[in-house]
Amino acid sequence: MPDASRFSSLLLDWFRQAKRPLPWRDGYDPYQVWLSEVMLQQTQMDRAVEYFNRFLARFPDVHSLARASEEEVLRLWEGLGYYGRARNLLKAARAIVDVHGGAVPSSAAELSALPGVGAYTTGAVLSIAYGQDMAAVDANVERVLARVFDIALSPKAPEGRRRFAGLALSLIPQGQARDFNQALMELGALVCTPRDPACPRCPLASICLALAKDTVDLRPALPPGKPVVPIGMGTAVILHEGLIYVQKRLPGGVWGGLWEFPGGQIEPGEEPEQAALREVREETGFVVRSLGKLAVIKHSYTRYRVTMHAYLTGFPEGAAPCEPVLTAASSFRWLPLAKLEGLAFPTAMRKLAEAIARDPRLA
Ligand code: SF4
């Protein structure tokens, strides 16, 4: 079993010379640390830094974020995915201003009571922003620990989760959690990567049990993957007198509060075009006809592989749209093509908006 003090001294020596100059590392402002940790979940570092800088330019402190509309926050978040994070970020910012006087809480109980703040974010913010000796175990940390200590438990199983959390906490040298936690994450991101880890240049190679036992490829042990689910969708872009119909999804769910073109899943035995026209009827009450195919958009999220068949549609000759009867949306708009740019769309709908802009029929 590798010795804890040897582990931490090798790791911290490496971090002092290898750490990346990330914007929130300049002063470790709690608001910025919290924002970065929320953005980094499920997101590559380069992308998170780009969004972080843009977000911070618009919302330089928690007060400015708390005053923002959900619409504006979602628009700035567009493309990062997992939009629940953005909605929770806004709710938490408002709670920080209303309940905590604008200061990100420095106690685990208060911090973890904020919307969207789980065990990982609590540990990361308290250690990195406030220097408290708390563990912060993400996938990078799990991988490094699983390999150095050759742990055969899956970190996704309850027993494994407890083991990794306890081990990560026990390894923190007193008073150094800020650097130690960041160093572990950084090593997992830059050296001990999921595939082809760079063992020859790893600072922990001399104490790594998986390297010694040739089990690196088996760690961390993962539960069997869930099957990929293909989904076919029919979507309608409704055009009337140069304006395009968009609707705002109901709150909640993965894409709650974002804008979309009406559509939904293709039912068994149904053609994509029929599905698009049926969905328009069900979601708005409009009876429209197809004016032809617009685009086929492929998009993946979690384990779903979506193929979206999109059609240009319009009202029959002489008919005009009445007020829609909304069943899947909270509001709607008729907008010229140029105004779609300002709306927050899920990624697949943004791709469709871009396809619309390229279509000669709408030029
Ligand atoms: S020696 Fe290799 S497997 Fe072990 S921690 Fe370093 S990079 Fe990971």
Side-chain angles (χ1 to χ4, degrees):
M1 179 93 163
D3 173 71
S5 65
R6 177 114 179 98
F7 179 100
S8 59
S9 67
L10 288 170
L11 184 66
L12 288 168
D13 284 350
W14 170 81
F15 186 61
R16 270 175 216 115
Q17 45 85 24
K19 82 171 169 185
R20 291 172 285 187
L22 302 172
W24 51 89
R25 284 182 175 162
D26 183 15
Y28 292 113
D29 172 76
Y31 167 68
Q32 294 187 21
V33 171
W34 166 54
L35 183 58
S36 72
E37 288 300 335
V38 176
M39 286 187 163
L40 278 166
Q41 291 162 27
Q42 323 279 350
T43 306
Q44 294 291 322
M45 180 62 81
D46 290 355
R47 203 163 162 71
V49 168
E50 178 195 328
Y51 276 79
F52 176 88
N53 287 333
R54 201 176 332 146
F55 215 84
L56 203 65
R58 172 64 190 87
F59 306 121
D61 52 40
V62 72
H63 294 276
S64 52
L65 176 57
R67 284 193 301 270
S69 69
E70 184 177 282
E71 177 94 30
E72 187 179 7
V73 172
L74 288 173
R75 181 69 186 94
L76 269 178
W77 200 269
E78 189 187 298
L80 266 185
Y82 300 93
Y83 294 91
R85 289 183 295 168
R87 286 189 287 271
N88 280 332
L89 194 73
L90 179 57
K91 285 185 204 153
R94 289 173 179 165
I96 289 170
V97 169
D98 294 344
V99 182
H100 302 287
V104 175
S106 58
S107 84
E110 289 180 333
L111 190 59
S112 61
L114 294 174
V117 178
Y120 167 77
T121 310
T122 299
V125 172
L126 293 184
S127 60
I128 298 171
Y130 292 113
Q132 296 178 22
D133 285 344
M134 300 270 295
V137 183
D138 68 357
N140 285 323
V141 172
E142 288 168 355
R143 190 168 54 257
V144 173
L145 296 182
R147 288 173 174 169
V148 174
F149 292 86
D150 195 37
I151 298 169
L153 291 170
S154 163
K156 305 296 172 221
E159 192 188 348
R161 205 171 296 136
R162 280 194 295 276
R163 174 80 193 280
F164 283 91
L167 179 59
L169 185 61
S170 72
L171 290 169
I172 296 172
Q174 206 181 357
Q176 296 190 67
R178 170 181 287 162
D179 278 357
F180 181 83
N181 286 347
Q182 291 186 92
L184 259 184
M185 295 177 207
E186 198 102 323
L187 190 79
L190 300 179
V191 179
C192 193
T193 48
R195 276 184 286 277
D196 301 325
C199 302
R201 62 178 176 87
C202 176
L204 302 180
S206 64
I207 58 168
C208 179
L209 290 182
L211 185 63
K213 294 181 184 178
D214 198 19
T215 55
V216 172
D217 291 342
L218 303 176
R219 306 287 179 250
L222 294 174
K226 292 184 179 165
V228 167
V229 180
I231 295 179
M233 306 254 305
T235 300
V237 174
I238 310 171
L239 180 68
H240 182 70
E241 294 182 348
L243 301 178
I244 294 167
Y245 175 86
V246 284
Q247 57 184 21
K248 191 176 196 178
R249 293 177 67 96
L250 294 169
V254 191
W255 294 304
L258 296 178
W259 290 86
E260 65 171 11
F261 306 97
Q265 215 163 326
I266 301 166
E267 292 185 352
E270 198 176 38
E271 292 299 319
E273 193 170 42
Q274 291 174 300
L277 301 181
R278 173 184 53 74
E279 288 285 342
V280 171
R281 256 192 334 273
E282 291 176 0
E283 293 185 359
T284 66
F286 292 157
V287 177
V288 294
R289 63 191 173 101
S290 174
L291 301 173
K293 195 145 201 164
L294 241 176
V296 177
I297 310 280
K298 290 188 184 284
H299 178 63
S300 298
Y301 66 97
T302 60
R303 62 198 178 97
Y304 302 102
R305 304 289 173 269
V306 178
T307 304
M308 183 168 72
H309 304 264
Y311 297 85
L312 186 63
T313 68
F315 292 91
E317 203 70 29
C322 51
E323 187 80 3
V325 180
L326 299 178
T327 59
S330 60
S331 60
F332 73 97
R333 287 183 198 164
W334 286 97
L335 294 175
L337 187 53
K339 293 276 185 189
L340 298 183
E341 177 59 29
L343 301 181
F345 284 117
T347 302
M349 291 291 170
R350 173 60 64 199
K351 287 184 190 171
L352 177 53
E354 288 164 4
I356 298 169
R358 291 192 299 271
D359 193 290
R361 286 169 292 183
L362 287 111

